[in-house]
Amino acid sequence: MMLLDGCFMIEVLRASECSDDYAPNDPVFSSRMNHLRKPYIKRDMLLLENQLPLLVLKALLEVENLGRTDAEYINHLVLSYCGETLRANLSRLASHPLELYRMSLLHKDTIVQVKSPPINETKVIENAVELRESGVHFISNDKYCTSLTDIKFDPKTGRLKLPVLPVHDGTEHFLLNMVAYEQIHVGTGNEITSYIMFMNALIKTADDVKLLQRKNIITNSLGSHKDVVELFNRLPKEVAHDPNDALNKVRFELSEYHANKGNRWLANLRHQYLHSPWMVLSIVAASLVILLTFIQTLYSVLTFHLRK
């Protein structure tokens, strides 16, 4: 079975780059069928229960003896099929496509779980709109090769940097399989699970999705904001929160920032009175009128007393 699946996978990976060797009416590998077969094959390729060891591909390529058979080439071949922009800093051959896909989203080569500094209590953070009302600024971390776990919060400026996540029909399927992979493989880490739990806390209403989409943190291809909300509400079901969550420190800092009444007061001032240039000019003009009136009154009082 692995021999048959391995031969098919090699042919699929190669056909995605060049389909000239097949007849135009080939029902599977013709160039016109590429965009039709790819989503379904990719979906099956990343199913946890369908994982094929990449060592099988390496062995078949070595038997074929027609080109490169090194780990870098095989990793690149698989990732090129999964997505044009996916990269993984792997110095070894990945165990299987799902591990490779997961590493490409994390941009690292490690199976050691990264633990955040110990925090005595786990904080529950508010949704995106509530955090914005307390002065949190959402920033899209759109740098090339940004890890899904590259989430940082600066309590001094209130800036929360989040990676860009494309949301489409396959997003739920891919994330669920990676969560399952993390849950059953000891020592793998919980980075994808941590990210999903964090986004689930941020996204509770359609307004949260609108805010994150406006900030270019989410690109929504599902069509409806409500669909995105339901997606992130379904993902973390029956997944326990890990006290060593890699994002636990960010949660704690966000919770403390939101609890600060001064931050909420300043945020309310900005949203109510400083949200447009015209409002700022109006406030400046009113302040100048008050200041000039005070100076004029003071001058009149001083003049009256000096005349005495």
Side-chain angles (χ1 to χ4, degrees):
M1 184 182 292
M2 286 197 295
L3 177 64
L4 182 63
D5 288 349
C7 291
F8 179 75
M9 183 180 290
I10 289 176
E11 203 63 18
V12 164
L13 297 178
R14 285 176 171 170
S16 66
E17 297 181 346
C18 179
S19 301
D20 296 337
D21 295 339
Y22 295 95
N25 60 346
D26 190 289
V28 178
F29 291 109
S30 62
S31 57
R32 72 181 186 87
M33 296 298 294
N34 187 33
H35 69 285
L36 296 176
R37 72 171 183 268
K38 186 173 181 177
Y40 300 102
I41 294 178
K42 177 183 174 182
R43 183 185 180 96
D44 288 343
M45 187 186 297
L46 295 177
L47 274 174
L48 182 62
E49 58 268 31
N50 284 352
Q51 292 312 295
L52 179 72
L54 294 186
L55 280 173
V56 174
L57 266 63
K58 181 176 176 62
L60 290 172
L61 290 172
E62 288 174 348
V63 171
E64 187 183 44
N65 195 26
L66 293 178
R68 293 178 60 182
T69 62
D70 56 284
E72 182 182 358
Y73 171 73
I74 297 174
N75 288 339
H76 170 73
L77 201 61
V78 175
L79 283 181
S80 296
Y81 185 78
C82 292
E84 295 179 358
T85 60
L86 293 177
R87 300 289 185 274
N89 299 323
L90 285 173
S91 57
R92 58 180 175 82
L93 182 64
S95 301
H96 44 68
L98 183 60
E99 184 201 27
L100 184 60
Y101 188 77
R102 176 179 174 274
M103 289 300 180
S104 72
L105 297 180
L106 300 178
H107 301 291
K108 63 180 182 178
D109 178 10
T110 178
I111 58 171
V112 179
Q113 185 171 346
V114 179
K115 296 183 179 181
S116 59
I119 296 176
N120 295 329
E121 55 181 326
T122 301
K123 294 287 187 178
V124 177
I125 62 174
E126 302 295 329
N127 60 316
V129 172
E130 288 292 328
L131 289 176
R132 183 193 61 179
E133 295 300 323
S134 63
V136 174
H137 302 281
F138 291 87
I139 308 295
S140 171
N141 197 348
D142 56 356
K143 294 180 180 178
Y144 180 68
C145 287
T146 300
S147 169
L148 276 188
T149 57
D150 191 9
I151 299 176
K152 298 177 181 177
F153 178 65
D154 186 354
K156 295 181 180 179
T157 61
R159 291 189 172 189
L160 176 63
K161 283 190 174 182
L162 294 165
V164 179
L165 177 69
V167 179
H168 48 77
D169 292 337
T171 300
E172 181 176 4
H173 173 83
F174 300 141
L175 291 178
L176 278 176
N177 277 277
M178 284 184 283
V179 169
Y181 173 70
E182 290 182 348
Q183 296 292 308
I184 65 175
H185 285 76
V186 178
T188 299
N190 67 351
E191 290 89 350
I192 301 296
T193 305
S194 298
Y195 172 78
I196 289 174
M197 298 288 284
F198 189 86
M199 294 301 292
N200 174 63
L202 289 184
I203 299 175
K204 296 299 182 186
T205 67
D207 289 335
D208 297 322
V209 178
K210 290 178 184 177
L211 172 61
L212 296 178
Q213 189 172 344
R214 191 167 64 249
K215 298 296 183 179
N216 297 319
I217 293 168
I218 286 179
T219 57
N220 181 14
S221 299
L222 292 180
S224 168
H225 297 307
K226 185 179 178 182
D227 290 339
V228 180
V229 176
E230 293 175 352
L231 184 151
F232 278 99
N233 288 340
R234 286 194 302 267
L235 284 174
K237 282 186 177 180
E238 299 183 12
V239 177
H241 180 73
D242 189 342
N244 293 320
D245 191 324
L247 298 174
N248 207 29
K249 184 174 182 291
V250 178
R251 289 172 177 271
F252 183 84
E253 291 173 342
L254 280 171
S255 180
E256 293 293 306
Y257 191 90
H258 176 73
N260 190 315
K261 294 182 179 180
N263 292 330
R264 291 204 298 271
W265 184 83
L266 288 174
N268 184 63
L269 177 65
R270 285 195 298 268
H271 295 154
Q272 294 292 330
Y273 303 105
L274 304 177
H275 63 278
S276 71
W278 297 113
M279 289 293 293
V280 174
L281 288 175
S282 299
I283 292 174
V284 171
S287 300
L288 286 175
V289 170
I290 294 173
L291 179 62
L292 292 174
T293 303
F294 173 77
I295 292 174
Q296 184 180 10
T297 303
L298 181 62
Y299 178 78
S300 300
V301 171
L302 290 175
T303 303
F304 176 77
H305 283 286
L306 288 175
R307 285 179 180 176
K308 285 186 176 183

